[in-house]
Amino acid sequence: MPEPNVVTKTKLVTAKKSYTPQLWSHHQLLNETPALCAEKGVSILTSLGFNSVIKNGNYVYGNFNMNRAAIKCVQVNEQTFVYTAVAGADVKLVEKLRNEIAWKL
């Protein structure tokens, strides 16, 4: 029995961005476990008004209007290295959100 000929068409779609995203980050060492750091991250994002806050292991992320924040907690020797990043269109708001998260850690 002959195999059927399969024809596929590919269409290129270009997403237009209305802005260039700003990315602000921060890192520090904490004297707590990565699990506690991640729980604290959930609490911080929730208290700042972020929605869709998701915790996946020791990684936390959420949305605030058109901004996105991520907090990653990793064990390093006896401490936890925490990396925070916030991205969005408004540079002042992105900076403010990053600062608020960093201060609360």
Side-chain angles (χ1 to χ4, degrees):
M1 188 172 215
E3 290 189 33
N5 290 335
V6 178
V7 178
T8 59
K9 292 184 180 183
T10 304
K11 181 178 180 183
L12 178 64
V13 178
T14 304
K16 294 182 182 180
K17 294 181 184 176
S18 59
Y19 64 92
T20 300
Q22 300 293 316
L23 176 64
W24 285 64
S25 63
H26 173 77
H27 64 275
Q28 68 188 73
L29 286 172
L30 302 177
N31 291 317
E32 57 193 39
T33 66
L36 181 59
C37 170
E39 286 299 325
K40 190 189 284 187
V42 170
S43 177
I44 290 168
L45 293 185
T46 303
S47 72
L48 291 174
F50 279 77
N51 57 31
S52 302
V53 177
I54 303 293
K55 180 178 170 283
N56 184 2
N58 296 325
Y59 177 69
V60 180
Y61 54 94
N63 300 318
F64 184 87
N65 297 333
M66 296 294 291
N67 302 286
R68 183 122 170 126
I71 301 170
K72 178 73 175 177
C73 305
V74 179
Q75 183 78 39
V76 175
N77 296 325
E78 300 295 318
Q79 294 181 302
T80 296
F81 178 83
V82 58
Y83 177 78
T84 305
V86 180
D90 181 355
V91 67
K92 291 294 184 188
L93 181 56
V94 170
E95 178 186 20
K96 182 178 179 180
L97 290 170
R98 188 276 317 255
N99 289 345
E100 289 292 329
I101 293 168
W103 290 330
K104 291 177 182 280
L105 284 169

